[in-house]
Amino acid sequence: MLFNNLMHVSFYTDRLEAMEDFYINKLGGELKIVTRAKAYLDRPQSGYHALALADPEKVIIVYIELAPGQFVELFPKNEGQGPAPRMGENLGYAHFALTVDDIFAAREELERRGVVFDTEISKGPSETYQMWAHDPDGNAFEIMQYTSRSFQVVGHIM
């Protein structure tokens, strides 16, 4: 395959602190990058240049590492941006998934940290365990555990 991994998934938010808290303190991610507008002071062609002049300390990009080399990237929402559509409402992004070695232990730990799940643990038709949750902005995500029979591991083309 050409690619090594999925590097990041990105969200705009109007609740940056709540999103940081969720991905760091509840899911256990590590804050890796905080970029402020002043990083664009010497880049007049950038869309952030005017903001860099007006509010150089404003946080404009946050990277939180959830697994080695794999991140959630957060941007403060832009003026006039509306809420994200509900899952399945529009074409495009629907959800992201995280894998764990032990989904039962992961659920226990995440509930202890305050994560509220939308579903119970189940095994889907792909023979992979799954459970669903969402972040403070309502972005859906799935937590999965492969089994020896998971289609994602053994393949399944009908």
Side-chain angles (χ1 to χ4, degrees):
M1 292 188 177
L2 180 65
F3 303 107
N4 296 325
N5 64 38
L6 181 63
M7 192 256 198
H8 70 265
V9 60
S10 180
F11 301 107
Y12 284 96
T13 182
D14 60 355
R15 300 184 308 165
L16 189 58
E17 288 179 11
M19 293 286 277
E20 284 182 29
D21 177 67
F22 182 80
Y23 284 103
I24 294 168
N25 297 316
K26 293 194 173 47
L27 290 192
E30 180 183 347
L31 182 64
K32 291 292 269 216
I33 299 170
V34 175
T35 302
R36 298 182 188 284
K38 65 186 174 187
Y40 292 87
L41 280 169
D42 64 347
R43 298 172 186 233
Q45 73 284 3
S46 165
Y48 288 117
H49 183 70
L51 183 59
L53 294 171
D55 189 358
E57 294 303 316
K58 182 171 178 63
V59 173
I60 57 170
I61 303 170
V62 172
Y63 266 82
I64 300 166
E65 189 172 40
L66 292 182
Q70 298 177 2
F71 303 86
V72 168
E73 179 184 34
L74 302 173
F75 293 97
K77 85 173 201 172
N78 292 317
E79 181 95 19
Q81 261 181 321
R86 291 186 318 257
M87 190 168 111
E89 188 173 51
N90 293 329
L91 294 175
Y93 174 81
H95 71 276
F96 67 93
L98 304 166
T99 59
V100 295
D101 292 329
D102 183 337
I103 199 166
F104 299 96
R107 185 181 184 108
E108 222 174 86
E109 173 63 20
L110 292 169
E111 284 180 333
R112 188 183 63 71
R113 293 181 189 178
V115 175
V116 175
F117 287 91
D118 300 329
T119 67
E120 295 299 320
I121 296 170
S122 64
K123 191 186 289 183
S126 68
E127 294 293 326
T128 302
Y129 286 109
Q130 61 183 344
M131 60 185 172
W132 290 81
H134 61 275
D135 69 19
D137 281 351
N139 298 302
F141 64 94
E142 187 176 11
I143 298 175
M144 304 179 82
Q145 177 188 332
Y146 294 135
T147 67
S148 62
R149 295 177 51 180
S150 290
F151 291 177
Q152 296 91 340
V153 174
V154 300
H156 182 79
I157 300 173
M158 292 183 71

